[in-house]
Amino acid sequence: MLPCKNPAVFLSLAVFLSSLTACANSPTAKNLEQSLAADPQLQTNPVVFGEPKDQQPQTQPNQSTVQLPVDFPQDIPIYPNAKLETVTPATDTEKKVSTRWLSADPSNFITNFYTNQFQANNWQINQKPSDDVGGVFEAQRNNVLVKVSIQAQSVTNPAPNQPQTATKLLIEYLPSSTTTAQATPTSSPSETETNNAQTPSGVPQPGDSQFIGPVLPTNAATQPGTVANSPVSSATTNTSVVFTDINQAPQQLREHIQDLAKLGVLSPAIQATKNNAQAKTSQFAPAKTITRREYARWLVAANNAMYANNPAKQIRLAADSAQPAFTDVSVKDPDFPAIQGLAEAGLIPSSLSGDTTAVLFRPDAPLTREQLLLWKIPLDSRQALPTASLDAVKQTWGFQDAGKIDPKALRAVLADHQNGEQSNIRRVFGYTTLFQPKKPVTRAEAAAALWYFGTQGEGISAVDALKLQRPQT
């Protein structure tokens, strides 16, 4: 046993405990017991690190997320990787609505996105940036006026989760009621009939080579929710196809045509009158031969619509300042941006790709089967075409006329066989032992070829692209 070094302490403690035992029922003992009892409030307010819970910083409720205005036009494209920061509603003095966005992507990505979106969805572009670094877009479509300002900025003292670089995006638009009032002045009945017969200045109409999208039927002006004499692209309205002659297409290709029409890719057939004027039509003319310029336009529009949320896979439209790759397609040609863009991307043979013999594009010549594949397959595989020989094509496809295929197109034909059931030849022409490489392609066949991009098991169809579009409010 350890010796006690301080007996006085033990003696005092013994006296104290004896006093408590003797006075257990006294008032003094009761007070002492209450003072030493546990605090009942500790059960609901526990002490954390020596501080009561009610002294800790309270969790702030989630702040309400900024929402787009109810009247935000669905036609206006929104950059996928942009965050809405503020919304400034219209006032009596300032009629436009302003929405401010912030994106971590470079400004050239956003500029290219809006260039392709406005071009593919048939916007009338009144102003566009001089380069891809940034600037201002001003566009108009279906009585919607929009101004998109893109400004790159560098962040000097970024927050922990904020990127070092960012791009500011300002989207301003006039509400539909304002634009309708401005676009439809009061006039007499006779003047109204005259104005309805005219087309908006500078806006491509059905029958024009720049028009993309199905046209409204002749009685569309009487249907609710439609705008008379305005080309409506189903890429944004997501309505049923309005072509009146789809039943004339082969049954296996009808759904392909309808899906692409909903994406706003296809244009109606042009019907020439006696005075060489272009007449409006709501017909697709599926059996009509497609020209090289039409297919080039559809190819760019379809690819960019499929990859609307993936700028890296989109085809960049050529600027007016580009040096023409073909002597018969000048910068004034309405399809110059698409044709030149394909040439600059190396998707069609030209002097830019090293083919010194391809100085003419022949935009109004019929598109052949081998040309359809030669332009389309690189967008499916996204890589260089394989080396091909005549024997290899004969062994894979078994075409009796394989010897008639142009050597340049042999590689595309062989690569298409590797896509299995998703090959363009099987989807467009069905089972055949004759490829007929020089045979002109119909508009229905061209649409079927553009219905799917990619390889077997890894690609996107027009149906998939429609599902990715923004839902209608």
Side-chain angles (χ1 to χ4, degrees):
M1 177 180 294
L2 295 176
C4 180
K5 296 183 179 180
N6 196 349
V9 174
F10 286 96
L11 180 60
S12 300
L13 180 60
V15 172
F16 178 73
L17 292 175
S18 299
S19 301
L20 289 178
T21 304
C23 305
N25 297 324
S26 65
T28 304
K30 293 291 182 180
N31 294 335
L32 182 60
E33 180 181 359
Q34 292 177 359
S35 65
L36 296 176
D39 188 357
Q41 294 183 355
L42 290 177
Q43 297 178 0
T44 56
N45 296 298
V47 176
V48 180
F49 298 109
E51 295 184 3
K53 182 178 179 181
D54 55 0
Q55 295 180 3
Q56 296 295 323
Q58 297 294 327
T59 304
Q60 298 295 331
N62 293 332
Q63 299 180 353
S64 59
T65 307
V66 181
Q67 299 290 336
L68 279 175
V70 179
D71 64 348
F72 189 86
Q74 295 296 312
D75 288 4
I76 299 178
I78 295 178
Y79 188 69
N81 195 24
K83 178 182 178 181
L84 179 63
E85 292 194 321
T86 61
V87 174
T88 305
T91 61
D92 294 338
T93 57
E94 190 67 35
K95 303 296 183 182
K96 63 185 178 182
V97 180
S98 300
T99 61
R100 294 185 180 275
W101 309 70
L102 185 66
S103 175
D105 291 348
S107 59
N108 61 322
F109 279 28
I110 303 177
T111 302
N112 291 330
F113 170 82
Y114 278 97
T115 299
N116 292 323
Q117 287 293 314
F118 286 144
Q119 290 278 4
N121 293 321
N122 198 37
W123 285 78
Q124 176 190 348
I125 303 178
N126 301 325
Q127 179 183 348
K128 62 181 180 179
S130 56
D131 51 39
D132 61 354
V133 176
V136 177
F137 285 96
E138 287 187 359
Q140 179 178 359
R141 180 180 181 275
N142 295 346
N143 289 333
V144 175
L145 301 175
V146 62
K147 180 179 180 181
V148 180
S149 303
I150 303 171
Q151 180 182 3
Q153 64 171 1
S154 39
V155 182
T156 54
N157 295 315
N161 295 328
Q162 187 176 359
Q164 298 291 332
T165 60
T167 302
K168 286 185 176 180
L169 189 63
L170 176 64
I171 301 178
E172 301 172 293
Y173 68 93
L174 292 177
S176 56
S177 58
T178 305
T179 55
T180 304
Q182 293 178 352
T184 311
T186 305
S187 59
S188 62
S190 58
E191 291 175 347
T192 303
E193 295 175 359
T194 303
N195 292 336
N196 287 341
Q198 297 175 353
T199 59
S201 175
V203 179
Q205 297 297 308
D208 296 343
S209 59
Q210 287 183 304
F211 175 76
I212 298 177
V215 297
L216 294 173
T218 55
N219 61 346
T222 62
Q223 298 178 359
T226 59
V227 181
N229 295 321
S230 296
V232 177
S233 170
S234 55
T236 52
T237 58
N238 201 23
T239 57
S240 300
V241 64
V242 296
F243 291 128
T244 60
D245 57 348
I246 296 297
N247 58 347
Q248 298 179 13
Q251 184 177 2
Q252 298 86 344
L253 307 183
R254 293 174 187 174
E255 290 187 3
H256 301 327
I257 299 173
Q258 292 176 354
D259 293 337
L260 285 176
K262 292 178 183 180
L263 278 177
V265 171
L266 306 179
S267 55
I270 298 176
Q271 183 177 0
T273 60
K274 293 183 180 179
N275 9 353
N276 293 328
Q278 293 180 351
K280 297 179 182 180
T281 175
S282 59
Q283 294 185 350
F284 179 69
K288 183 180 179 181
T289 298
I290 189 172
T291 63
R292 289 162 60 91
R293 75 159 64 245
E294 284 179 307
Y295 183 68
R297 187 195 321 141
W298 290 7
L299 181 62
V300 173
N303 178 84
N304 292 353
M306 299 286 186
Y307 299 105
N309 297 331
N310 191 349
K313 289 189 176 182
Q314 294 180 352
I315 301 172
R316 303 293 186 260
L317 299 176
D320 297 340
S321 58
Q323 181 66 29
F326 305 101
T327 58
D328 55 350
V329 182
S330 66
V331 294
K332 297 181 179 179
D333 192 293
D335 293 313
F336 174 80
I339 297 173
Q340 182 75 14
L342 290 171
E344 292 183 352
L347 297 172
I348 58 177
S350 70
S351 58
L352 300 177
S353 60
D355 192 340
T356 57
T357 62
V359 295
L360 296 176
F361 181 72
R362 298 180 294 117
D364 298 317
L367 180 79
T368 63
R369 290 186 172 188
E370 62 183 7
Q371 292 166 355
L372 178 146
L373 287 183
L374 186 60
W375 300 2
K376 170 70 170 18
I377 296 302
L379 289 172
D380 288 330
S381 61
R382 302 284 168 171
Q383 59 185 2
L385 296 177
T387 302
S389 64
L390 183 59
D391 291 337
V393 173
K394 287 182 178 180
Q395 292 175 4
T396 54
W397 283 108
F399 291 142
Q400 303 178 37
D401 54 353
K404 298 180 181 179
I405 302 176
D406 188 281
K408 298 176 183 178
L410 280 175
R411 299 185 302 161
V413 174
L414 182 61
D416 190 50
H417 185 271
Q418 300 173 358
N419 286 346
E421 295 302 320
Q422 290 294 354
S423 70
N424 295 270
I425 294 177
R426 292 187 177 96
R427 181 171 63 255
V428 178
F429 309 118
Y431 175 76
T432 178
T433 61
L434 291 174
F435 180 54
Q436 304 181 72
K438 305 298 190 281
K439 183 178 180 180
V441 177
T442 66
R443 291 165 59 88
E445 292 170 342
L450 301 177
W451 182 83
Y452 184 88
F453 282 77
T455 58
Q456 187 176 18
E458 185 177 356
I460 183 171
S461 67
V463 175
D464 299 327
L466 288 170
K467 294 178 181 179
L468 294 176
Q469 288 185 343
R470 283 185 293 145
Q472 298 296 312
T473 58

